[in-house]
Amino acid sequence: MLERRTFLALAGSMAAGVSLSALGGCASAQDAGSPTKGSSNPVGTAPSQASLGPDSLFCSGLPTGRELWRIDARDMAVSATSIWAVSESTLLSVDAGGLTSAVCDFNGVQALRVTASDACVCVALDDGSLACVDAKTGQLLWTASVVDAAGSTQTAEVSDGSRPTWTAIPVIMDETAAYALFSSTAFEPSCWMGALALADGNIVWRQPLSYAAQMANGIVGSWRLAGDAILTTTGGGVVDAIDARTGANIGAVDAEGWVTGGITRRMDSGYLIQLADGTIVSFAFADGSFTHVSIHRLTDAAPTVSGVHYVRPIDLGDAIICRVPADVYEEASDGSAARMKMTLGIVDAESFDVLDRLDDMDPQRQPLLLEASDGTALYVAAGNLLHRVELEGTSFGAASSLGVSVLDSEGSMYPEPLWCESVPAMLMPVGTGAFAAIG
């Protein structure tokens, strides 16, 4: 019997936000070396919804592909009580009907990522700083820089003469701190990671990372909290464990290959990553130590790794959804030997035998697995269109295109899709700077 982790989605009530003109904006986050206090910005409340789990999400009904609404947004986040988005230099609250209300403007500093809890909303900004907003009142609590300006040297000029910027992966939070990672090709060191106290924005710790770590951490989902540690993938297939309290490296696993997706939490409390050639690496981490490390090759061939394939495995209990060899070869343009293509498949969790595969469906970003009383389906962005694939035990059922364009021009930097029960719909990135609610 196929077991799945499920997450109960709770519907809630919705109240409107207020306009930016009523707020008067927020204090600038630019050049924020130390925490800067902001002014009060009342927001009100927004719908409740469940957080996206690593494997499957229980919902009231499976989406059929109807686009309910679309907003301009670079990233979106949900908590148990609110829906949030960032667009250009503004934090927005979003209601169940797709109506947006400006909550905080960062005075021209571009908002890159947003992460939310019931208590606060953290926004990563392109000057290498993090802003924290009270989720109930809309007050800007603080801004602080994760990047050490004094310890960074600009090594490249921007062609148009503008300010060089940083990129960021999604911020992660626990009860006391927010953890952020920024990278830039215009500075050396080119990557900074740090922890900021949620209470006041003071730096708990921060440190530079290598170029290899920067490249690997461009993958969405490439780091996650594991108790008092942060697990993060780095170049060369290394998984590092970092003490969340101090930033010290407390262990590592070398999988000897390039990681092409984030870290999946298994139902048995272990973890999974997948390498570019399809190899699956499983391991456990507890009490600051890696144990039970095993490497499982899906093929002896050399699959192609061209294109963007940042897909995190999905654990189903006794099976795993991941990228697998497609048993189809393609001729290399440089005249070298033909290489095996990759596609989406289901792998036995013990033997790692391929149980089923979807021909010609290599995901462009993380698939979303949804469960409802009317069945279980996988929603996959492939070939610039959104597809729905029925899941029947450890096999794929019927697959169909939903006709929704999900043109991907930013590749790995795209956020993962979310499920919002209060709409109810998938919140799906559908292009550069846009999200759509698909119900």
Side-chain angles (χ1 to χ4, degrees):
M1 179 66 181
L2 182 65
E3 297 178 358
R4 301 186 185 93
R5 175 185 289 178
T6 59
F7 295 80
L8 182 62
L10 303 175
S13 59
M14 181 268 294
V18 295
S19 67
L20 185 62
S21 60
L23 301 177
C26 288
S28 173
Q30 202 165 3
D31 302 320
S34 59
T36 304
K37 300 297 180 182
S39 57
S40 177
N41 298 323
V43 177
T45 58
S48 293
Q49 73 90 56
S51 60
L52 177 67
D55 301 311
S56 64
L57 182 72
F58 186 81
C59 55
S60 56
L62 296 175
T64 59
R66 183 168 62 97
E67 184 173 317
L68 305 178
W69 46 261
R70 181 177 294 221
I71 63 171
D72 292 332
R74 186 166 191 165
D75 195 16
M76 295 191 72
V78 291
S79 70
T81 57
S82 307
I83 309 173
W84 303 91
V86 288
S87 180
E88 297 184 344
S89 62
T90 305
L91 172 65
L92 307 169
S93 65
V94 186
D95 70 15
L99 178 65
T100 62
S101 299
V103 174
C104 187
D105 183 81
F106 300 106
N107 297 335
V109 182
Q110 296 294 297
L112 304 174
R113 300 289 187 182
V114 58
T115 301
S117 69
D118 290 346
C120 63
V121 184
C122 286
V123 180
L125 305 172
D126 76 349
D127 63 353
S129 66
L130 196 64
C132 184
V133 175
D134 188 297
K136 293 184 172 63
T137 67
Q139 177 183 357
L140 177 64
L141 301 175
W142 49 261
T143 59
S145 183
V146 175
V147 172
D148 183 359
S152 300
T153 301
Q154 185 174 338
T155 58
E157 297 292 334
V158 182
S159 58
D160 61 4
S162 61
R163 169 179 61 87
T165 58
W166 296 80
T167 60
I169 66 172
V171 178
I172 54 178
M173 294 190 291
D174 58 19
E175 292 80 4
T176 61
Y179 306 89
L181 190 151
F182 290 88
S183 62
S184 175
T185 57
F187 292 91
E188 181 59 40
S190 57
C191 189
W192 286 90
M193 176 173 61
L196 304 178
L198 287 175
D200 52 19
N202 285 327
I203 296 173
V204 180
W205 55 265
R206 67 179 171 190
Q207 62 187 21
L209 294 179
S210 68
Y211 177 75
Q214 168 197 336
M215 294 300 292
N217 277 290
I219 302 170
V220 172
S222 59
W223 64 338
R224 64 183 307 139
L225 286 165
D228 291 330
I230 299 171
L231 300 180
T232 177
T233 57
T234 59
V238 175
V239 179
D240 284 315
I242 297 169
D243 191 318
R245 298 161 296 187
T246 67
N249 192 304
I250 56 177
V253 169
D254 189 352
E256 301 179 358
W258 193 259
V259 181
T260 58
I263 303 169
T264 293
R265 176 64 181 258
R266 301 201 67 177
M267 296 175 67
D268 62 2
S269 299
Y271 297 89
L272 292 171
I273 59 172
Q274 189 169 30
L275 306 184
D277 65 359
T279 298
I280 296 174
V281 181
S282 62
F283 59 91
F285 180 84
D287 301 323
S289 299
F290 288 99
T291 59
H292 301 91
V293 179
S294 57
I295 299 177
H296 312 277
R297 293 187 61 84
L298 302 184
T299 177
D300 291 329
T304 177
V305 294
S306 60
V308 177
H309 305 295
Y310 297 99
V311 174
R312 177 170 49 81
I314 299 174
D315 182 38
L316 301 174
D318 57 1
I320 299 163
I321 298 176
C322 61
R323 294 176 65 239
V324 302
D327 283 341
V328 175
Y329 288 82
E330 62 178 7
E331 295 297 329
S333 58
D334 59 4
S336 59
R339 298 188 296 178
M340 184 178 290
K341 285 188 173 183
M342 301 292 282
T343 189
L344 200 64
I346 299 177
V347 174
D348 186 275
E350 292 187 5
S351 67
F352 289 88
D353 294 333
V354 178
L355 304 176
D356 200 3
R357 52 173 53 86
L358 287 169
D359 294 331
D360 300 324
M361 193 171 288
D362 204 352
Q364 292 165 296
R365 64 181 70 103
Q366 182 64 31
L368 181 62
L369 180 65
L370 297 178
E371 286 188 289
S373 57
D374 54 343
T376 302
L378 193 68
Y379 293 83
V380 184
N384 294 332
L385 290 174
L386 182 63
H387 302 263
R388 170 172 162 165
V389 183
E390 308 299 329
L391 195 63
E392 301 172 352
T394 56
S395 299
F396 293 120
S400 58
S401 170
L402 299 182
V404 178
S405 175
V406 287
L407 181 64
D408 191 344
S409 61
E410 293 188 16
S412 64
M413 298 307 292
Y414 257 86
E416 294 187 3
L418 306 172
W419 173 257
C420 186
E421 182 67 15
S422 62
V423 177
M426 297 179 292
L427 304 181
M428 179 74 62
V430 290
T432 303
F435 270 76
I438 310 298

